[in-house]
Amino acid sequence: MKAIMNSVTKPRAQVSCQEIRPSTVVLRPSGCLDSVTSPAFSKSLEQALELATDTVVVDLLSVNAVKRDGVKCLLAGMKRAVALGKNLSIEFLDVATQTVLESAQNNFAL
């Protein structure tokens, strides 16, 4: 007679992988935000907005000029942040850029 062995299955260990994401991401572009640099900055801003759980800070202290394409990029980032329910803080921007962004924000009711 053959002995019949009952196979006993051991419970498998539960492994929990939790994605750790920062609550705040800070971007520090430098130079000029223009038609040449805005596409790369726009991509970085989009990635930061996706990564951060709460706030993205754009520190413009090292930016010496924000041209039309740079303003458009910042506006798009503001709209995206609102859509994602996140905060976008733009720091150390020049008065002219600040005026344009505030005007656009009021016109588009961000």
Side-chain angles (χ1 to χ4, degrees):
M1 240 189 195
K2 290 185 179 179
I4 299 177
M5 304 274 296
N6 288 335
S7 63
V8 178
T9 59
K10 296 179 183 176
R12 294 186 181 187
Q14 295 276 335
V15 178
S16 172
C17 293
Q18 184 178 10
E19 182 181 12
I20 299 174
R21 294 177 17 189
S23 64
T24 302
V25 174
V26 179
L27 295 177
R28 292 187 175 99
S30 61
C32 182
L33 284 180
D34 57 14
S35 61
V36 174
T37 59
S38 288
F41 177 72
S42 182
K43 184 175 181 180
S44 295
L45 182 54
E46 177 68 28
Q47 290 172 342
L49 286 167
E50 294 291 334
L51 179 64
T53 59
D54 184 52
T55 302
V56 173
V57 177
V58 178
D59 177 353
L60 297 178
L61 186 63
S62 297
V63 172
N64 53 26
V66 180
K67 302 294 184 183
R68 182 177 183 205
D69 287 331
V71 171
K72 288 168 54 176
C73 176
L74 292 170
L75 285 172
M78 292 167 68
K79 289 178 183 178
R80 184 70 176 139
V82 169
L84 293 171
K86 298 183 182 179
N87 299 308
L88 177 62
S89 176
I90 303 171
E91 304 294 330
F92 303 110
L93 65 163
D94 61 272
V95 175
T97 303
Q98 181 176 354
T99 302
V100 170
L101 291 177
E102 287 174 351
S103 175
Q105 186 175 14
N106 292 334
N107 290 337
F108 296 113
L110 295 174

